[in-house]
Amino acid sequence: MLPNTSICRLVTLSLLAFAPSAFATNAKVLIYSATEDFRHDSIPTAIQALQSKGPSFDIQFETTEDKAQFTDQYLARYDALLFLDNTGEVLDDLGKAALQKYLDLGGNFIGIHAASDCLRNTTFYGHEVGAFFDYHPALQNALQTVDVIDSCHPSTSMLPAQWHVQDEMYNFKSDPRTIGATIILSANESSYIDTGTRLNQGTPHPTAWFQERGAGAESNGTAGRSFYTSLGHLNETWQDELFLAHVFGGITWTLQSNTTLAFNTSAEVGNPSVSVDPTSNSSSTTGTSTSSSSAVISVPPIDVLPLKFMVLSIIAATFFPWLSSFYLGRFVLTAYF
């Protein structure tokens, strides 16, 4: 019998096989990296890493640090907003109102590292990110241990049960579970020194989490998904393939909320109009932005049906050996005939 982690990885693969094909549409994500207080020098490295890997996941990333871009019309173009290492009051009242409306219309949210340390007096933002940053102990030379609490989530299915990292171990002002978040990573407090006074952030120590329905949306709104990871402090972290797999697992899971135009033609926000020409190295969109940089992608059409049967064959062979020959035959017929 397979261990639970292996089972979760097989289940994750099977779900991805039947999820909307990554090659069938082009999701559009806005990276917002404005800062008013401390600024991480890893922000450019993070943006470069996200944009360079975006095409592999059929995601088009655009970037801005201009708070004036937070208008209803501008935000409505995106399937998700990714807040990256923001600190301080990075939006004015008009921008906050536009962000609230975007979330109410089904927009998705991704927060990374210091994204929990901005807009500290804006309640709906705190609910959407999950919890506000409180403090962290000094960055330590030795590796710290992060425990995987939920190995079935796409952002954790590739991680070892105890993940050894060098990063800041954030503490939070509240427990994300109180607003409905599910914790997937936890800082192992025995692996580092922290002499500070911790607030009621709950147990196990929250380090990364997700919300199926982002709590920042108003009760009469259409809530999209929310994902947050507190890791990502160092430049070296953004050059680590395992960390990037964790981040992109969270991003792709968030985009599959089915509340934006990338996957739902009746949605009210998102990217409805990216056309991909397999013979070209560019993609065309309706509307342009003069204040954003973008990773332009071109992905040839791929038939994912063989992949589905291959995944099913693996699962069938593991749990139902008598079915394996059936699925394997279907896979061979589909792939080669």
Side-chain angles (χ1 to χ4, degrees):
M1 190 68 179
L2 288 175
N4 289 338
T5 300
S6 298
I7 293 173
C8 284
R9 287 173 183 169
L10 284 174
V11 171
T12 299
L13 284 172
S14 64
L15 290 175
L16 288 174
F18 284 97
S21 169
F23 300 97
T25 188
N26 293 268
K28 203 171 187 181
V29 176
L30 177 66
I31 301 172
Y32 187 52
S33 53
T35 57
E36 291 294 334
D37 295 338
F38 179 82
R39 184 171 181 84
H40 286 75
D41 63 9
S42 60
I43 289 175
T45 307
I47 291 174
Q48 181 180 19
L50 290 167
Q51 290 190 325
S52 65
K53 282 192 173 293
S56 300
F57 297 89
D58 209 26
I59 300 172
Q60 180 179 354
F61 287 104
E62 296 185 352
T63 70
T64 188
E65 294 197 352
D66 183 4
K67 67 176 66 177
Q69 298 286 9
F70 273 68
T71 64
D72 295 346
Q73 182 178 10
Y74 190 78
L75 297 186
R77 303 164 52 194
Y78 298 98
D79 298 289
L81 304 181
L82 191 157
F83 274 53
L84 174 66
D85 282 339
N86 315 88
T87 56
E89 199 68 6
V90 293
L91 291 177
D92 56 22
D93 289 343
L94 291 176
K96 293 175 189 177
L99 175 58
Q100 176 73 83
K101 183 174 180 180
Y102 173 80
L103 297 176
D104 290 344
L105 293 176
N108 300 298
F109 177 86
I110 300 131
I112 298 180
H113 197 48
S116 58
D117 193 27
C118 72
L119 305 180
R120 304 176 191 113
N121 297 313
T122 304
T123 300
F124 84 86
Y125 179 80
H127 288 169
E128 186 66 21
V129 73
F132 284 119
F133 166 79
D134 184 21
Y135 78 95
H136 65 79
L139 184 65
Q140 296 167 33
N141 292 328
L143 295 178
Q144 295 86 56
T145 300
V146 175
D147 295 327
V148 175
I149 304 301
D150 180 355
S151 61
C152 285
H153 193 268
S155 68
T156 57
S157 62
M158 75 296 293
L159 301 177
Q162 291 192 314
W163 185 19
H164 303 296
V165 300
Q166 185 177 23
D167 215 313
E168 293 175 334
M169 296 294 105
Y170 273 17
N171 293 288
F172 298 93
K173 294 182 178 179
S174 62
D175 185 349
R177 284 159 283 229
T178 62
I179 52 89
T182 299
I183 307 300
I184 52 179
L185 293 180
S186 173
N188 188 320
E189 296 173 354
S190 67
S191 68
Y192 61 95
I193 299 172
D194 183 358
T195 59
T197 302
R198 301 172 196 170
L199 297 177
N200 185 23
Q201 61 184 353
T203 303
H205 185 139
T207 295
W209 55 79
F210 68 87
Q211 301 176 54
E212 182 65 43
R213 293 175 52 82
E218 295 176 311
S219 59
N220 60 345
T222 301
R225 287 177 169 179
S226 171
F227 171 82
Y228 173 77
T229 181
S230 64
L231 303 176
H233 176 70
L234 298 170
N235 281 285
E236 292 79 3
T237 305
W238 285 97
Q239 296 163 348
D240 180 74
E241 291 298 324
L242 193 56
F243 172 76
L244 290 173
H246 163 61
V247 169
F248 271 95
I251 294 172
T252 54
W253 173 85
T254 304
L255 289 170
Q256 291 172 358
S257 65
N258 204 38
T259 59
T260 67
L261 287 165
F263 298 112
N264 183 349
T265 57
S266 62
E268 298 185 79
V269 293
N271 180 34
S273 55
V274 175
S275 59
V276 179
D277 180 359
T279 64
S280 171
N281 289 323
S282 64
S283 60
S284 60
T285 64
T286 58
T288 59
S289 169
T290 58
S291 62
S292 303
S293 62
S294 63
V296 179
I297 62 177
S298 177
V299 180
I302 294 179
D303 183 3
V304 298
L305 196 57
L307 175 61
K308 294 179 182 179
F309 284 119
M310 180 175 67
V311 172
L312 286 173
S313 298
I314 295 171
I315 296 173
T318 303
F319 298 104
F320 308 101
W322 58 274
L323 283 175
S324 59
S325 59
F326 169 76
Y327 281 116
L328 182 59
R330 288 291 301 275
F331 168 65
V332 171
L333 287 172
T334 305
Y336 297 104
F337 298 100

